[in-house]
Every structure is written in C-alpha cells, then in structure tokens.
Amino acid sequence: MLPLPDSQFRHQLLGWFAANQRDLPWRKTSNPYCIWVSEVMLQQTQVATVIPYYLRFLDRFPSVERLAAADLNTVLKLWEGLGYYSRARNMHRAAAMILSDHNAQIPDDYEIFRGLPGVGDYIAAAVQSIAFGRAVATVDGNVKRVLSRLFLMEQPVNQSGTRNGFPEAAGKLLDQDRPGDFNQAMMELGALICKPSTPACHICPVQSFCQAFQGNRVDQFPKRLTRKAVPVYHIAVGVVLKKDQLLITLRKPEGLLGGLWEFPGGKTQPGESNRQACIREIREETGLEIEVEQSLTIIRHAYTHFKIMMEVFICRYVAGRVRLNGPVAHRWIRFGQIPLYPFPKANHKAFPLLETYLQTRK
Ligand code: SF4
C-alpha cells in the first residue's frame, strides 16, 4: 500500500508549479478544443517541437467546426513532420463526430469524450481535468518516472498496459480541488526537475516526500524493461520522371503514415538489390515499367519500433499506364508542387538533393 502524502505535498507541488511553470501557449486558454489539440500534439512529442505546430493549427482551424469542415489532406499537411499521423486522422474524425453528435461542444463527460476516436486514457484525463476540472489523474511518462521515485515503485515504466499501479498511485495523489493544475504540475515536475538521467533533487519541491531521495536510491529508479534490438528495414523508392513531371502516390488512409503522399517503392527482399527492388515495387504498385538511371541518396530514418535505410533512385518512365495496387491515388506533379502535399519526414530528407539534381539535369 502506498503511503498517502498529506496536503503538504500538494501544497508544495502546486506552489512550485505556480512560480516555475513554463509559459506555454496552451496554458493561456481554458478553451477545451485548444487544450485537446495541445494534448494530442504533445503525445510522444517534445514541447519545443509542438509549439509552432499548435499555433499554425489553431490559426487555420480555430474551432472544432473548422477542423471538421477541412479535408484530410489539409489537416495532414499542417501535421507534416510531427509524426504519428493517426493522431491527426483520429482528431479529424472525432471533430466530425463532435459536430454531428455533440452540438460542436467538446463533451464535458469523461466516458463520452473517452469514446471518441484517438482519445485514450491520457488524453481523456488531461482534457477533462484541465478544461473541465474533473478529478481524473493523468499518467504519462513524466508522471510515471516521478511516481516511481517517490514511492520506490518496482513496476517498469515502459511496460504496456495500465494495470501496473501507476494510475492508482496517481489517483491517490491527485488534488481533488485543483486536478488540472495538479496534473500539469506533476508532468512539469518530471519535465523540468525529475528528469530521466539528471534529476535536480537539490531544488525539488517534494524532496522531503521522495523515498528514492531519502533512501539515496534515485539512480535505481525508474525500473525499465530491456527493449529488443530495433530491426532495420532496407527500402527502395523511385522518383519516376516523365518529361518535367514526377510520380507520387497516396498511402491508404489507415496505418503507419496513412493518408500521406510518397514516392512509390517498398521493402527490398532477401537476395535482391535495392535497384531490383525499386523496379519490382514500382511495377507491382503502379503497373509502370521504369528504368533506374542512378541512385540519388540513402536516407536513414527511425520510427518508434524500427529503422529504415531508404535508397532513393532517379528513374525514367518507360511504358505503361498507372494501375494502382496498394496506393489509393497518384499524381504526376512538377517538383514545385511538392509543398501542396503532405509527405513523410524520410521523403523530405531527399527533397533538397532531388531539387539540385533536377536543376542540374535541365
Ligand atoms: Fe525526483 Fe529527486 Fe524530486 Fe525525488 S527528490 S521527485 S528523485 S527530483
């Protein structure tokens, strides 16, 4: 059983938060829609990265109605580079449901809000506590680390599933009168003071309650499961040129990078060279016959559970009409039209080299 700190813990944490919290744009509003947008963007993403995206997004979609009315391509274009694109697709779907089923109001009810696409335990707790003052504790990576040190919790912080003690511990600590501030204070403490490898215990406002600090065991917490080695996939893609146009294809709306545009291609099979894979993949995906002219570059990119080494080839259209198998749409575009379409980050890494190549080719 966890010891239940007295109100002094909450008092000290909230006092520290009031004096030390970062000046962040989503802390200047009580609008549930804006808070929802910020919390969705902040999942798996650093605050500094999120700020410009948040400002641009709300500038373009200042209300749930405007978001619901937008086409997905526009939403993904504004999300481009932020990663985890299912967040944007789900928020877009949820906005349409809020418009049709909830009179364009973010549901002021944990269970109803939790039932919307993309709204998990964390987002529901964050929005409901910060925007509506509901007493639900948030549990993100920062909170888990703080809890694990405060209470010497043996549960690994990177173990999936919520039945591992952290929600219970967070719920017991929660300030019932100021749940939104308290949740933000716990997360802020983890972000600014109780950092993963260099916790600033000497200035920590809850040092006197921290069992790891008191027992001189801070370096032993949090516990983590050792991760398996991340696989590396070899990918071959082709920039297929036909006169002054190049071919891009649209990924199906669901799954990894769903709804984004890309150069056609795919995984290199065992025993196959990247060049052979490029020709085969383009034939399979688009029905086109192409010739590989040269290799442009090799891009390295890391996703959450795997890495890719993607070789980008310059290809020449030879024959055939586009018949898609996998992608759901295609366009022949000029290089200058690329900014109109959302692309994965790995493709973006190739654009400067491609631009130089196309200029020297003229
Ligand atoms: Fe974290 Fe150190 Fe504060 Fe404990 S005393 S909560 S380990 S920063």
Side-chain angles (χ1 to χ4, degrees):
M1 193 68 179
L2 296 166
L4 186 63
D6 59 22
S7 59
Q8 192 62 26
F9 176 93
R10 299 177 186 112
H11 179 73
Q12 284 179 209
L13 180 66
L14 288 169
W16 169 83
F17 182 61
N20 295 282
Q21 63 175 293
R22 287 168 291 180
D23 181 19
L24 301 174
W26 44 88
R27 291 192 174 146
K28 295 183 171 71
T29 179
S30 56
N31 181 325
Y33 168 70
C34 302
I35 292 166
W36 177 39
V37 171
S38 72
E39 291 298 340
V40 172
M41 288 186 169
L42 285 165
Q43 289 233 288
Q44 325 266 6
T45 312
Q46 302 280 331
V47 164
T49 307
V50 166
I51 291 173
Y53 280 92
Y54 172 83
L55 296 173
R56 276 197 301 268
F57 197 89
L58 286 182
D59 192 46
R60 186 68 179 268
F61 309 125
S63 64
V64 76
E65 291 99 324
R66 295 284 290 275
L67 175 58
D71 66 79
L72 181 60
N73 198 62
T74 309
V75 176
L76 289 173
K77 186 67 195 169
L78 276 173
W79 206 272
E80 190 179 37
L82 204 53
Y84 302 98
Y85 295 91
S86 60
R87 296 181 297 178
R89 296 193 306 266
N90 282 329
M91 200 159 63
H92 186 233
R93 279 174 55 215
M97 292 167 71
I98 292 169
L99 199 61
S100 62
D101 302 346
H102 303 288
N103 199 25
Q105 302 296 312
I106 307 291
D108 178 4
D109 178 291
Y110 180 89
E111 291 303 332
I112 295 174
F113 184 60
R114 174 74 178 79
L116 292 170
V119 179
D121 292 340
Y122 170 78
I123 296 280
V127 173
Q128 292 294 318
S129 65
I130 297 169
F132 300 116
R134 294 198 177 284
V136 202
T138 52
V139 181
D140 71 348
N142 282 323
V143 171
K144 283 185 183 176
R145 185 171 60 257
V146 172
L147 290 172
S148 116
R149 287 170 171 164
L150 282 174
F151 300 121
L152 301 181
M153 293 175 72
E154 295 288 335
Q155 295 90 328
V157 288
N158 57 341
Q159 192 172 36
S160 54
T162 53
R163 305 285 91 199
N164 53 12
F166 292 110
E168 183 198 5
K172 283 185 175 172
L173 274 183
L174 184 66
D175 188 312
Q176 302 289 317
D177 298 325
R178 296 176 56 192
D181 286 342
F182 185 86
N183 281 335
Q184 292 184 81
M186 284 289 280
M187 294 188 276
E188 196 78 335
L189 185 73
L192 300 183
I193 302 287
C194 195
K195 294 182 179 184
S197 54
T198 52
C201 300
H202 60 292
I203 54 167
C204 176
V206 295
Q207 184 199 83
S208 58
F209 299 94
C210 178
Q211 295 179 29
F213 180 78
Q214 299 300 333
N216 205 19
R217 297 179 63 195
V218 173
D219 59 336
Q220 297 169 29
F221 291 86
K223 304 291 186 192
R224 302 186 71 84
L225 291 177
T226 318
R227 289 231 180 262
K228 284 188 287 190
V230 178
V232 179
Y233 299 123
H234 293 263
I235 308 282
V237 302
V239 181
V240 181
L241 299 173
K242 187 176 169 189
K243 297 187 181 156
D244 64 344
Q245 295 195 309
L246 52 88
L247 179 66
I248 59 172
T249 52
L250 178 62
R251 293 174 71 92
K252 52 183 190 267
E254 62 279 359
L256 180 74
L257 308 176
L260 270 63
W261 294 83
E262 62 183 3
F263 299 124
K267 274 187 203 164
T268 301
Q269 301 296 333
E272 188 180 48
S273 69
N274 283 344
R275 182 176 286 252
Q276 290 166 332
C278 179
I279 295 169
R280 175 184 55 73
E281 283 284 343
I282 288 174
R283 186 185 296 134
E284 287 173 6
E285 281 191 359
T286 69
L288 297 184
E289 293 301 324
I290 55 114
E291 233 173 54
V292 171
E293 287 191 355
Q294 68 171 82
S295 171
L296 179 71
T297 184
I298 295 179
I299 306 286
R300 289 172 174 76
H301 191 72
Y303 293 94
T304 312
H305 300 296
F306 63 91
K307 295 178 180 175
I308 60 168
M309 281 182 67
M310 182 174 85
E311 185 156 14
V312 183
F313 293 97
I314 300 293
C315 306
R316 190 174 62 80
Y317 166 83
V318 175
R321 284 174 63 86
V322 174
R323 293 186 316 278
L324 294 175
N325 175 25
V328 294
H330 80 283
R331 298 272 190 284
W332 289 100
I333 63 168
R334 291 188 306 282
F335 182 81
Q337 293 174 294
I338 277 178
L340 298 176
Y341 299 88
F343 283 88
K345 215 175 213 171
N347 277 227
H348 270 277
K349 291 180 179 176
F351 291 158
L353 282 170
L354 178 58
E355 184 173 24
T356 307
Y357 170 84
L358 291 172
Q359 281 168 353
T360 54
R361 194 172 189 260
K362 282 175 185 165

